Amino acid sequence: MGSAGVSFASGAIAPPASRAFGNFMLVGASDVSTRVGRSFPGLRDRLRDATAAAHRELDAQLSSFDLTVVAGYRRFLQASAGALLPLEAALVDAGVASMFPDWPERSRSAAIAADLGRLGSAAQPTVSVPPLTSGGMLGTMYVLEGSRLGAKFLLKEVADAADPRITEATSYLSHGAGKRLWQSFLSKLQSEEVSDEDEVIEAARAAFAAFERAADRA
């Protein structure tokens, strides 16, 4: 997969499987049926459009990761953990469980730490993120929840790996499989009182930027 590239997640055009990581969030967002609400799907559309450039930049950064060899897959996980850990910590500090009572089912820090442990490494935060407001939590969750939508494509890539250490380290990519976590997130986005949509959008951009910085440092 080194030549095909890896993608992140967040768009409007369905990607080929070899570009799953970079595009799966936007694909999932546009594939889900919507119900018209006060700030939804308008806010979701604004989020998608406002983060499209950041998504493309992150996709380009991650295109060098080869998920079929241990070194490349480990680097992908290290890059992901570098941003995921501090973003999830910021969500916890902001009280994400009060907005999403099922937060324990959504958090992936333990899953990615377990995968890296199987590959002889450790999950470490490599970037700093600012404290989050309630709107900031929604924007951050948009990126994190969207980022899991293409996992089935990435798992297909990983399944082709000859090294069993890779195929046995998929807790992060398979996390939430079979659950409607994205759909329930969209329901929350619809029902939540949003006083400042720009704040939500800026937090989503900041989350993408955190992944970009972590990818640079992996």
Side-chain angles (χ1 to χ4, degrees), residues 30-45:
S30 54
D31 283 349
V32 175
S33 60
T34 62
R35 296 184 297 274
V36 176
R38 181 165 36 195
S39 62
F40 179 89
L43 176 55
R44 192 195 69 183
D45 292 340

Side-chain angles (χ1 to χ4, degrees), residues 1 5-10 13-28 31 67-68 73 76 146-160 170 173-174 177:
M1 173 161 161
V6 179
S7 339
F8 182 71
S10 208
I13 300 174
S18 62
R19 302 296 297 174
F21 189 60
N23 296 306
F24 63 71
M25 184 169 99
L26 292 176
V27 173
D31 283 349
L67 304 190
T68 64
Y73 186 54
F76 159 73
S147 73
R148 73 172 80 237
L149 292 179
K152 61 183 179 181
F153 297 107
L154 297 181
L155 284 170
K156 289 178 182 178
E157 299 276 353
V158 170
D160 292 334
T170 58
L173 291 182
S174 63

Side-chain angles (χ1 to χ4, degrees), residues 29-129:
S30 54
D31 283 349
V32 175
S33 60
T34 62
R35 296 184 297 274
V36 176
R38 181 165 36 195
S39 62
F40 179 89
L43 176 55
R44 192 195 69 183
D45 292 340
R46 288 191 66 197
L47 280 164
R48 182 191 61 223
D49 294 344
T51 57
H55 158 254
R56 289 191 296 268
E57 292 170 7
L58 182 57
D59 184 28
Q61 280 184 288
L62 297 174
S63 63
S64 63
F65 295 157
D66 184 349
L67 304 190
T68 64
V69 299
V70 169
Y73 186 54
R74 181 167 52 222
R75 185 173 168 231
F76 159 73
L77 290 175
Q78 288 169 337
S80 300
L84 179 72
L85 269 60
L87 287 170
E88 288 201 347
L91 284 166
V92 170
D93 289 344
V96 67
S98 63
M99 183 178 289
F100 294 91
D102 61 349
W103 171 248
E105 294 183 44
R106 296 179 183 271
S107 175
R108 288 175 288 172
S109 291
I112 202 167
D115 287 342
L116 280 166
R118 292 185 184 98
L119 297 177
S121 185
Q124 297 180 341
T126 59
V127 300
S128 59
V129 299

